[in-house]
Amino acid sequence: MRLRTTMCGRSTYAKIAGVAALALTALVAPVSPAAYADPGGDQCVSDPNAHVSSVPSPEKFFGFPLGKGQPRTVTTDEIKTYVEAVGRASDRVVTGTIAHSVTGQELPYAIVSSRHHMVPGQLKKIAAQIRSLRDPRSLRPDKAARIAEDGPAIVWIAGNVHGGEKSGADAALRTLYELAGGLSCDVATRNENLVTVIMPTQNPDGRDADRRQNEYGFDLNRDWFARTQPETGGKIEMLREYPAQVFVDAHEMGGRQYFFPPNADPIHHEIAAQPVDWINRIGAANAAGFGYNGACGGAVTTECYFNYATYDMFYMGYGDTVPATGFGAAGMTFEKGSASAVEDRVQQQFNTQWATTGWAAANRREILDGYYKIWQTAIEQGKAGTLEPNEVVQPTNTVQFPVPDVKVRSYFLLPDRQVGDVRRLVERLRAMDVEVYRLKEAVTVPNADVFGGRTVKNLSVPAGAYWIPMDQPQKHWIQALIAQDPYVPFPYFYDVSSWSNPLLMGVATVSTGDALSPKADAVKGMDGGVVSAAPANGSYSYPMDSAAASELTFRLLGQGVALSRDLATGVVSLPARAVNRGDLDKLARSYGVAVEGRAGDASGTPLRVPDTGLFAGTGVSTTSGSYGEARYVLGERWGLDVKAVTTADVNGNTPAFTERSVLLVPDGSSANGGLTAQGLANLKAWVAAGGTYVGLRNEGTRVARTAGLTSTTEKTKPTGYQVIGSHFRVNVDTASQVALGRPAEDFQFNNGDPILNPSVTGANVLTYPSDGAFWSNGYTTNADALKGSVALVDEPTGAGHAVLFAYNPLFRAYNENGIHLVANALLLPSSKTGAARTLAATPAGKVEALRADAAEAAPADDLAGEWRPIVIQVADADAGRAEAVVRTYTDTARTASADGSAYITIPNPEGLAADEHPFLRDMVHDLNGAGIPLRSVVG
């Protein structure tokens, strides 16, 4: 298929930018679109307001225009019905549902292009050709060149991933209308050169609730690699079918300005050069087409645009980094200030969407040529073991931390433990088109880098291990997702600095720069299931050593299957007669868990479904963060009937509290959860009677301390201490039932969490090494303060336990090793069964006194809620000037100095991320404007 030029022809970029700007001026004007009968064929007109009369205009459908003159945002239902109406009316459009939300609402999409691209079979052919560009091993360069010459590129316009940020969705509907019904040559050029996928809202539940998060309280713009939420998985599957070369993710922020790239630093090193170049050039096109007051600066402070600030491209869970790294697209975040009027918010979003599609149409051939080269280069780099270097995009910055000179040609996921989570990781990779192989024979790796900073010579990797070679198209994505360090180039942090999936799961992983050719078979599906049959009077068993096996356990318990667990080995067993073998095989395989049959009876301590309460009291946000993560993991994944327990329930000792066998207290901002002296006494008595208290991070550990359930105290963080969502090695007390199934050394995620001194009245289950074994990745400073401290404690009281996590083990529902530990905690037997561990380190008479002393300790300041405080690092000599700027925004800041730097800490008690914060962006802008060199910024 050779693309046909319209009557307007195809212009150079400079000419297109000028034409687009003129056309945009006309489209901004609040005039009713001129209605014409569809002329058919390739005819187009010069009037930008000419539209096919059969395609419903926003004015006719909603009763008002989208953009200038718009009085309100549209509703979720109106989005759906308008997409459907346009789809019915236009032969340039196909529509459908990309996914369903937590509550079951549809996420509608529309695909729009020239009518001859949309005839039966042609759209699928175009998508198949674009997909073929992603694998140069099976597509010759001459065929790729023909596709680039003849075929359209694919552009995605996505809005409203944060529910309360609505204008991007409304603008996307305007873009849909213009492309579906416009008769101008400007529209015809776009449709001839592009297939545009429009997904107006990515978060209908959040939109209805006017809330950033989805129904489970998840930020969907952090969920892209893990795909925990139903809204995320569907759009990534459609991206695999229609891979984007340009991807717009339309947001809102505070204020009355507008951001579009070029981005702020840092940028992840494995984002290819082509997308970065396209992003920056699209920024120039957006600047030309923005209108309003143009660039911000001087006296121009509202209804203007800015670049190079706040919005980075580093964390691999964003709606720009994943399209860029995993799909080779120019992934971009657009942000419009929410304080502007609706009409201006929507109009400016439309202006940038229109300018972006105009640039993409004008540069279609170059984009498609470059798209093929992205994957060629990836394969070449993977074969050579070459990693992309670090770079910065802001002209005033320099790379502070280069990517080390190492070779990576292969990764191996070892099969000796946590196999269910290993297989889940394999499937996560395969779901992004990564090729994974299973070793048929052992292979010797001459130079093995073992995750955790160790090296081994001539390591034997056993048969059954999973091999991920880097000489494949998805080399960039593999390195971005698996590498044990992301190699941050520049110390500005919008989110976390580590998301290494093997470390999140605690699975044994090895990388090497050696050129190897092991004997292996391609993985085609999930391994696991029933691997050997049991006789009718026998039993089945599996190790509950992973988050995957934990989920299987809860699902079986929920079906009424009698399970027992060996409290020495962690192995779960069940009578063969209790289940249908085929059903068990299907269920276990879905979790990647291998189940073995045997002749003996099931044995061990019986497991019971925990009657779980989730604390919804003072200091806990029930619409976001830790509470929502607990609802999702325990309720949705594990199938537990989780019941809310309020502060009043505990204070009043009501059945809503006392009838629970487990109380999980999520992270929050209160040290006592609002509990009175009587409420604290009630909580302590409930644990002593056999209840299990599970406390997470700040509020979870502090409430337990206030109630006299632990002797742990918080260690003051030294000046300059920064742990920005990093992984650490921890030593595991494998004798603890809370750690059943975990290895002697594990990894845990730390995001500036409280530093806990070891307990002297309980078991210190996870401890940070105090010797040379101490190791971390990501970005940390002065992290030695963690040495010898504890990350997880099990405190027995009477017949019950208080299990306290210094960190958030349910963080974003992708911290699988933490999820496994929470499962262990929920399944702890009370000492009434004789299974509680005896602790002899402290005489019984002193336990209460030691815990009372801990309860009397002054509570730590709540500087950050569920997130982190803002910390600005400058040279000591610049402290006074920096403090003066900060004082114009807040009087809560505090300054301390260490090693030649001043650290200005601004409390963030609501736990707001950088993009939610009311003044962080403006404050950093003013610090830069004052010429103050910022050594680091942590938001």
Side-chain angles (χ1 to χ4, degrees):
M1 171 195 67
R2 183 169 297 277
L3 280 181
R4 294 168 287 176
T5 58
T6 64
M7 290 173 60
C8 295
R10 188 178 295 146
S11 307
T12 63
Y13 169 63
K15 291 179 181 178
I16 283 288
V19 172
L22 290 173
L24 186 59
T25 301
L27 288 171
V28 169
V31 297
S32 298
Y36 294 79
D38 189 347
D42 295 324
Q43 289 183 321
C44 62
V45 300
S46 59
D47 181 3
N49 294 307
H51 293 78
V52 179
S53 58
S54 60
V55 177
S57 68
E59 290 86 345
K60 289 183 177 179
F61 192 88
F62 302 114
F64 52 80
L66 296 176
K68 295 303 290 183
Q70 182 176 349
R72 64 168 176 86
T73 55
V74 302
T75 67
T76 301
D77 186 62
E78 286 173 332
I79 290 173
K80 177 177 177 292
T81 54
Y82 185 67
V83 169
E84 292 172 345
V86 173
R88 287 191 300 269
S90 176
D91 58 2
R92 305 176 194 172
V93 178
V94 296
T95 62
T97 299
I98 205 166
H100 290 84
S101 72
V102 171
T103 65
Q105 291 199 75
E106 295 179 5
L107 276 65
Y109 72 84
I111 302 176
V112 57
S113 190
S114 292
R115 58 167 56 89
H116 65 91
H117 293 157
M118 309 303 285
V119 298
Q122 189 60 37
L123 184 60
K124 288 185 177 181
K125 180 181 177 182
I126 291 169
Q129 289 177 333
I130 296 295
R131 291 196 301 270
S132 73
L133 292 175
R134 301 181 69 202
D135 192 352
R137 297 169 303 181
S138 57
L139 184 71
R140 296 198 316 263
D142 61 321
K143 290 187 176 181
R146 193 172 303 120
I147 291 171
E149 172 64 25
D150 295 345
I154 298 178
V155 172
W156 278 61
I157 305 292
N160 203 196
V161 72
H162 293 144
E165 301 172 8
K166 300 180 179 181
S167 59
D170 295 31
L173 297 180
R174 168 81 178 276
T175 298
L176 171 61
Y177 171 63
E178 296 297 340
L179 294 175
L183 290 173
S184 72
C185 295
D186 189 31
V187 168
T189 297
R190 283 169 167 80
N191 283 338
E192 190 67 27
N193 288 278
L194 304 176
V195 169
T196 305
V197 180
I198 295 175
M199 179 172 47
T201 178
Q202 303 171 70
N203 185 4
D205 294 347
R207 186 181 182 94
D208 286 348
D210 201 22
R211 181 181 64 227
R212 177 185 178 92
Q213 298 83 4
N214 76 343
E215 179 65 20
Y216 276 125
F218 277 65
D219 186 333
L220 296 177
N221 199 38
R222 305 295 187 273
D223 189 51
W224 276 73
F225 80 74
R227 298 168 64 165
T228 67
Q229 300 303 291
E231 297 92 339
T232 308
K235 67 187 173 189
I236 292 181
E237 285 306 301
M238 191 160 175
L239 263 170
R240 293 175 70 194
E241 185 177 358
Y242 294 94
Q245 286 74 68
V246 175
F247 190 101
V248 173
D249 195 18
H251 293 248
E252 290 184 11
M253 61 183 180
R256 294 179 59 193
Q257 298 180 356
Y258 197 106
F259 167 84
F260 50 77
N263 294 90
D265 290 315
I267 180 172
H268 196 281
H269 66 97
E270 285 295 334
I271 297 176
Q274 289 88 347
V276 176
D277 175 57
W278 301 338
I279 288 167
N280 293 340
R281 290 164 62 193
I282 290 170
N286 283 338
F290 183 77
Y292 282 82
N293 294 330
C296 301
V300 179
T301 60
T302 63
E303 310 310 336
C304 54
Y305 70 83
F306 66 92
N307 323 111
Y308 295 122
T310 305
Y311 302 102
D312 65 351
M313 286 189 72
F314 190 62
Y315 168 66
M316 281 296 139
Y318 297 148
D320 52 12
T321 53
V322 174
T325 316
F327 293 94
M332 297 173 294
T333 294
F334 293 173
E335 297 267 358
K336 171 56 194 163
S338 58
S340 296
V342 169
E343 62 175 354
D344 295 321
R345 291 182 354 235
V346 176
Q347 186 65 52
Q348 290 172 33
Q349 295 275 25
F350 170 73
N351 290 358
T352 54
Q353 292 176 17
W354 200 246
T356 296
T357 56
W359 182 91
N363 292 275
R364 175 201 60 80
R365 172 65 191 267
E366 178 192 346
I367 291 170
L368 293 178
D369 281 335
Y371 196 67
Y372 181 68
K373 291 174 183 175
I374 290 171
W375 315 107
Q376 281 184 313
T377 302
I379 294 168
E380 292 165 0
Q381 290 179 347
K383 185 175 182 179
T386 304
L387 303 183
E388 291 272 15
N390 263 336
E391 62 177 19
V392 292
V393 294
Q394 291 177 257
T396 57
N397 291 339
T398 57
V399 172
Q400 295 191 24
F401 311 109
V403 174
D405 184 17
V406 296
K407 300 289 186 185
V408 181
R409 287 188 170 94
S410 295
Y411 285 98
F412 293 94
L413 306 177
L414 305 186
D416 54 336
R417 57 181 174 82
Q418 281 74 55
V419 179
D421 289 343
V422 171
R423 290 169 176 159
R424 276 186 163 178
L425 176 52
V426 167
E427 291 307 298
R428 181 178 291 172
L429 292 166
R430 292 181 62 245
M432 282 291 287
D433 303 306
V434 174
E435 297 161 4
V436 183
Y437 300 83
R438 188 189 309 99
L439 296 188
K440 295 194 291 185
E441 297 177 2
V443 62
T444 298
V445 179
N447 301 283
D449 291 311
V450 180
F451 273 34
R454 293 172 175 150
T455 59
V456 177
K457 294 290 186 181
N458 298 317
L459 176 70
S460 179
V461 176
Y466 293 95
W467 172 46
I468 306 162
M470 294 287 274
D471 58 340
Q472 58 174 297
Q474 281 292 57
K475 174 261 180 180
H476 297 308
W477 182 249
I478 296 167
Q479 183 65 17
L481 202 66
I482 293 183
Q484 65 176 324
D485 201 299
Y487 304 126
V488 61
F490 190 82
Y492 173 84
F493 297 99
Y494 182 17
D495 202 76
V496 300
S497 68
S498 175
W499 53 88
S500 169
N501 276 219
L503 296 179
L504 285 168
M505 294 181 169
V507 302
T509 305
V510 170
S511 67
T512 183
D514 298 324
L516 302 171
S517 298
K519 294 182 178 180
D521 293 323
V523 177
K524 300 296 186 182
M526 181 79 95
D527 293 327
V530 175
V531 297
S532 59
N537 60 350
S539 61
Y540 289 105
S541 65
Y542 59 90
M544 189 180 136
D545 65 349
S546 62
S550 301
E551 192 166 335
L552 172 63
T553 300
F554 283 114
R555 288 296 175 182
L556 289 170
L557 286 172
Q559 294 174 12
V561 177
L563 301 181
S564 300
R565 193 179 191 193
D566 186 318
L567 298 183
T569 65
V571 170
V572 172
S573 59
L574 60 148
R577 62 181 177 276
V579 292
N580 174 276
R581 178 186 170 183
D583 293 341
L584 178 61
D585 178 73
K586 182 178 180 181
L587 185 64
R589 187 178 300 275
S590 71
Y591 296 118
V593 176
V595 178
E596 296 183 347
R598 62 183 182 182
D601 293 334
S603 60
T605 301
L607 297 179
R608 301 284 184 266
V609 177
D611 189 340
T612 305
L614 180 59
F615 187 63
T618 302
V620 173
S621 169
T622 59
T623 60
S624 64
S626 183
Y627 184 93
E629 290 156 358
R631 277 184 61 216
Y632 169 71
V633 173
L634 276 63
E636 178 66 23
R637 280 195 182 175
W638 293 351
L640 300 180
D641 181 14
V642 179
K643 304 174 182 69
V645 176
T646 67
T647 297
D649 290 328
V650 181
N651 285 338
N653 228 26
T654 71
F657 163 55
T658 59
E659 291 180 0
R660 309 285 79 81
S661 62
V662 172
L663 178 66
L664 190 148
V665 178
D667 193 13
S669 59
S670 174
N672 59 21
L675 300 183
T676 62
Q678 184 60 56
L680 294 169
N682 292 342
L683 179 60
K684 188 174 182 180
W686 172 84
V687 173
T692 297
Y693 175 102
V694 179
L696 310 187
R697 205 169 179 259
N698 290 316
E699 180 154 349
T701 57
R702 291 168 182 169
V703 169
R705 184 177 301 112
T706 305
L709 292 171
T710 180
S711 59
T712 62
T713 54
E714 288 190 35
K715 180 179 177 179
T716 301
K717 296 172 182 175
T719 299
Y721 174 87
Q722 296 186 85
V723 174
I724 313 301
S726 304
H727 276 97
F728 289 80
R729 178 183 286 115
V730 288
N731 293 327
V732 181
D733 178 2
T734 55
S736 168
Q737 291 168 16
V738 178
L740 273 178
R742 300 311 305 177
E745 287 186 342
D746 211 342
F747 300 98
Q748 283 303 341
F749 179 81
N750 187 314
N751 192 28
D753 306 325
I755 305 175
L756 298 188
N757 291 309
S759 171
V760 292
T761 59
N764 296 302
V765 182
L766 300 182
T767 306
Y768 294 98
S770 56
D771 55 17
F774 186 81
W775 176 89
S776 66
N777 73 349
Y779 185 80
T780 66
T781 59
N782 292 336
D784 282 358
L786 284 168
K787 288 184 174 180
S789 69
V790 293
L792 174 59
V793 172
D794 177 14
E795 296 269 15
T797 293
H801 298 257
V803 181
L804 309 179
F805 292 83
Y807 61 103
N808 179 3
L810 305 179
F811 183 70
R812 295 179 179 165
Y814 62 42
N815 190 18
E816 280 85 356
N817 53 10
I819 291 172
H820 175 212
L821 290 165
V822 172
N824 282 344
L826 264 62
L827 294 173
L828 275 177
S830 75
S831 62
K832 292 177 181 178
T833 67
R837 185 175 172 205
T838 301
L839 300 169
T842 303
K846 293 186 177 181
V847 168
E848 289 298 314
L850 290 166
R851 290 177 175 172
D853 289 345
E856 289 298 318
D861 291 341
D862 175 37
L863 295 180
E866 295 185 39
W867 193 238
R868 300 184 300 247
I870 297 164
V871 181
I872 308 294
Q873 180 189 2
V874 298
D876 276 337
D878 294 320
R881 290 195 299 148
E883 288 173 319
V885 172
V886 171
R887 277 196 298 272
T888 65
Y889 288 93
T890 179
D891 60 2
T892 64
R894 57 190 72 177
T895 303
S897 294
D899 303 321
S901 286
Y903 295 86
I904 304 173
T905 300
I906 301 168
N908 182 23
E910 295 181 17
L912 298 177
D915 56 333
E916 296 178 272
H917 199 274
F919 62 77
L920 173 61
R921 174 176 56 81
D922 292 336
M923 184 182 69
V924 171
H925 176 270
D926 289 352
L927 287 165
N928 286 323
I932 301 170
L934 304 182
R935 293 183 170 180
S936 70
V937 177
V938 175

